[in-house]
Amino acid sequence: MPIFTAPDGTTLACHLRGEGEPLVVLPGGPMRASAYLGNLGGLDAHRRLALLDLRGTGDSSVPKDPSTYRCDRLVDDVEALRVHLGLERMDLLAHSAGGSLALLYAARHPGRVARLALITATPWALGMPATAEDRRAAALLRRDEPWYAQAWPAYRDWLAGTGDYDPVFAPFFYGRWDETARAHDRAGDTQYNDEAAELFGADGAWDPPAARAALARLTAPVLVLAGELDGGPRPELARRCAEIVPDAEFAVQPGAGHYPWLDDPEWFTARVGQFLSARPADRRPS
């Protein structure tokens, strides 16, 4: 487990899995320890995953200044990891809230990104949040599933702001509510830094016009992958995100929720692996 130091002196950890060319991986949550990513459905058979524990999560230290949990300030930690790994340019994969961090990194350091894969990414950095209506529409796709009747009332109240988060509606975040999904959801109880999550999108974190302008000049290939059943982002929101960057391809994983590598590992690793290994002439939309 490589340990390195951020510019402000905070000690950060990175977990290496697999062999081959490095793929730097940014977790979501926001501010969830990278352990929940596992081996991304077996992607470590194709690439050496370098999974960053963001400050205050997993094996990384808590910073002296809590304001450094803000997403735009975490960009310096990603750059410190690139330097530590000795990479001139890096392939970067980001999940969920980590997508906004990856977008801000690419906007600030476009020459350091070789390829960028955004997996069910939340594009807050572009001023494109998933809305409650997005999540309601996605939830209705699940109405014939056996757990729906019990989960929907609590989920509806949470989306309306009249109820708290309730584990009963966790199935909405997974394409298949099986034992693998249940175990993954239970593990999350010990993986979040709630204080950091509250500060991740604090005032000043986002400047969508500036981010959009910078990303319009990004030359690196980008994959934006959505889950067919995901509510945040829904495929349409992910497609709009893909339109921001010049060299982007958009893919929807059938039957997948917010954690697509769990729902169909073979489909996920094949599609992401194809993107990461393709020459320009081989790349394709889907």
Side-chain angles (χ1 to χ4, degrees), residues 258-274:
H258 198 58
Y259 306 97
W261 64 91
L262 295 177
D263 297 319
D264 189 339
E266 292 78 11
W267 194 102
F268 177 82
T269 55
R271 185 63 184 89
V272 175
Q274 179 272 329

Side-chain angles (χ1 to χ4, degrees), residues 27-221:
M31 306 307 289
R32 185 174 181 178
S34 67
Y36 82 95
L37 295 162
N39 66 354
L40 287 171
L43 196 59
D44 62 339
H46 306 274
R47 300 293 294 268
R48 190 179 199 197
L49 307 182
L51 301 112
L52 176 63
D53 277 340
L54 299 175
R55 54 181 53 215
T57 72
D59 292 307
S60 290
S61 298
V62 173
K64 293 180 180 178
D65 179 3
S67 71
T68 60
Y69 288 135
R70 206 174 71 180
C71 185
D72 59 318
R73 300 188 67 179
L74 295 173
V75 169
D76 290 339
D77 294 351
V78 181
E79 175 64 359
L81 175 56
R82 181 195 66 79
V83 172
H84 178 77
L85 294 174
L87 302 174
E88 183 68 21
R89 301 171 72 224
M90 62 182 173
D91 288 347
L92 190 60
L93 181 148
H95 174 246
S96 190
S100 279
L101 175 55
L103 287 166
L104 291 185
Y105 179 86
R108 194 180 305 175
H109 301 285
R112 299 302 187 183
V113 179
R115 297 181 184 86
L116 172 59
L118 299 172
I119 309 303
T120 58
T122 311
W124 292 317
L126 303 178
M128 299 164 61
T131 66
E133 185 52 42
D134 288 334
R135 296 186 183 278
R136 289 189 193 97
L140 287 174
L141 300 174
R142 320 297 297 277
R143 58 184 176 273
D144 293 330
E145 301 201 33
W147 47 263
Y148 180 87
Q150 181 181 10
W152 170 244
Y155 192 54
R156 177 193 59 210
D157 292 347
W158 181 66
L159 293 176
T162 58
D164 295 328
Y165 182 89
D166 190 326
V168 74
F169 57 68
F172 285 114
F173 297 95
Y174 296 87
R176 298 185 306 182
W177 188 237
D178 54 14
E179 184 50 42
T180 296
R182 292 185 182 93
H184 188 265
D185 179 62
R186 288 193 298 269
D189 293 342
T190 60
Q191 293 172 342
Y192 285 94
N193 181 329
D194 293 332
E195 177 194 11
E198 289 292 326
L199 295 171
F200 183 81
D203 289 347
W206 318 127
D207 186 347
R212 286 168 176 257
L215 291 167
R217 300 188 293 271
L218 183 68
T219 59

